[in-house]
Amino acid sequence: MTTQNLAVAADRTLKAKHRAMWALGDYPTVAAEIVPDLGAILVDACRVGPGDRVLDVAAGSGNAAIPAAVAGASVVACDLTPELLAAGQAVAARRGVHLEWQPADAEALPYADGEFDTVLSCVGVMFAPHHRASARELLRVCRPGGTIGLLNWTPEGFIGQLFATMKQYVPPPPPGAQPPPLWGSEEHVRALLDDQVSDVATRRQTLTVDRFADPAGFRDYFKANYGPTAAAYAGLAGDPERVAALDRDLAELARRHDEGTGKTVMRWEYLLVTARKRG
Ligand SMILES: C[S@@+](CC[C@H](N)C(=O)[O-])C[C@H]1O[C@@H](n2cnc3c(N)ncnc32)[C@H](O)[C@@H]1O
């Protein structure tokens, strides 16, 4: 096998692993119960309106794609994980919202140059492992003068710290794969979008999460429903001591971020980015 063929095969294996990870648990429920506000926040920030042609990259079950379609845009929701697209398609059908659902890798989008007025991603493209490749694709499929909109968890915020905690319990990523929360750093995103955009606006904001009775409630919910957390536990099966240590660390993480009295209230920080593709 040539070096190039080996690289292609390794990438295919990595993406298959990521696809299986996001299909674990029940991400559509997390999107519906924990982060449903984020999609609409991103769609509003991008000023999506009637007639716009919008691509939601790493759309999952349509957290941003569905509000964009409700705003009157013509929307394509694409994602690596067909199970999540199918869940979104069922939600959209129930609500009578029309959009297209297509499997796609953010690092090799199956769309023409400049095909979309707005290209957005809500806590999505940050999980594709090769940041420069996916940034290049977001820019390529956006028309000159069009909008790029991103909403990414920050490294310092709660979900960034969740990944930092889980890192000690999962196998190291393959060489070249970059950590998802880096996309939540202003400097990193500006460097990725580079001189191909103008009018870059970044804002750090927080999502209030108050649906858990206590820190252990957060941990048990994520363990059951959030693919990356479910995958971390699956990899520890047969090692009760490590499972107990991860149990302790995740509850402790939520306790450190808990601002509530009587029930757990957390503020999860994200970076909201909008930019205009240069003409
Ligand atoms: C946290 S979910 C976000 C989904 C949705 N945007 C939302 O706001 O609920 C992350 C998504 O990234 C997708 N994903 C991960 N790697 C990807 C890749 N290389 N290409 C496309 N999608 C990817 C996963 O399948 C998953 O749907």
Side-chain angles (χ1 to χ4, degrees):
M1 230 191 221
T2 65
T3 313
Q4 199 191 350
N5 287 347
L6 280 171
V8 169
D11 192 60
R12 205 171 287 142
T13 305
L14 179 63
K15 299 292 167 54
K17 205 172 136 197
H18 286 180
R19 197 177 297 126
M21 178 181 83
W22 285 106
L24 279 179
D26 185 355
Y27 185 77
T29 291
V30 178
E33 294 183 347
I34 313 293
V35 299
D37 298 346
L38 296 183
I41 287 171
L42 179 59
V43 167
D44 283 353
C46 294
R47 302 204 176 121
V48 171
D52 289 348
R53 179 108 172 112
V54 173
L55 178 67
D56 182 2
V57 177
S61 46
N63 196 16
I66 293 175
V70 169
S74 154
V75 180
V76 176
C78 70
D79 196 278
L80 191 66
T81 311
E83 290 87 340
L84 302 185
L85 293 171
Q89 196 164 13
V91 171
R94 266 200 308 278
R95 291 178 54 187
V97 182
H98 297 286
L99 61 154
E100 291 175 58
W101 302 86
Q102 296 173 355
D105 180 353
E107 297 176 4
L109 292 171
Y111 308 110
D113 297 359
E115 199 174 321
F116 297 94
D117 300 308
T118 299
V119 179
L120 51 80
S121 188
C122 180
V123 296
V125 72
M126 61 182 293
F127 292 101
H130 305 105
H131 297 186
R132 206 153 271 294
S134 30
R136 206 166 36 233
E137 284 295 84
L138 300 178
L139 288 162
R140 182 183 65 75
V141 301
C142 185
R143 71 163 168 81
T147 301
I148 304 278
L150 303 167
L151 192 156
N152 299 324
W153 300 119
T154 64
E156 305 79 14
F158 182 77
I159 296 291
Q161 290 303 302
L162 170 70
F163 278 91
T165 303
M166 293 194 306
K167 192 175 165 196
Q168 305 152 58
Y169 294 92
V170 297
Q178 293 171 282
L182 255 187
W183 272 96
S185 140
E186 288 91 339
E187 213 186 352
H188 187 69
V189 175
R190 280 180 190 274
L192 286 174
L193 300 178
D194 202 17
D195 57 358
Q196 292 200 56
V197 293
S198 63
D199 306 327
V200 181
T202 61
R203 263 183 286 164
R204 279 181 184 242
Q205 299 184 170
T206 56
L207 172 75
T208 300
V209 177
D210 62 0
R211 80 171 311 278
F212 302 111
D214 53 30
F218 154 77
R219 177 203 57 214
D220 294 342
Y221 183 96
F222 260 50
K223 192 173 174 174
N225 295 308
Y226 190 63
T229 308
Y233 277 99
L236 299 180
D239 190 343
E241 279 179 22
R242 298 269 291 154
V243 169
L246 180 55
D247 274 349
R248 270 195 308 274
D249 283 355
L250 293 188
E252 172 56 20
L253 172 72
R255 196 199 55 71
R256 279 202 308 277
H257 284 75
D258 189 357
E259 300 172 17
T261 44
K263 71 169 175 172
T264 288
V265 179
M266 297 181 275
R267 287 177 219 290
W268 295 1
E269 189 185 57
Y270 59 85
L271 182 72
L272 182 61
V273 182
T274 54
R276 183 161 308 286
K277 183 172 166 191
R278 284 191 196 277

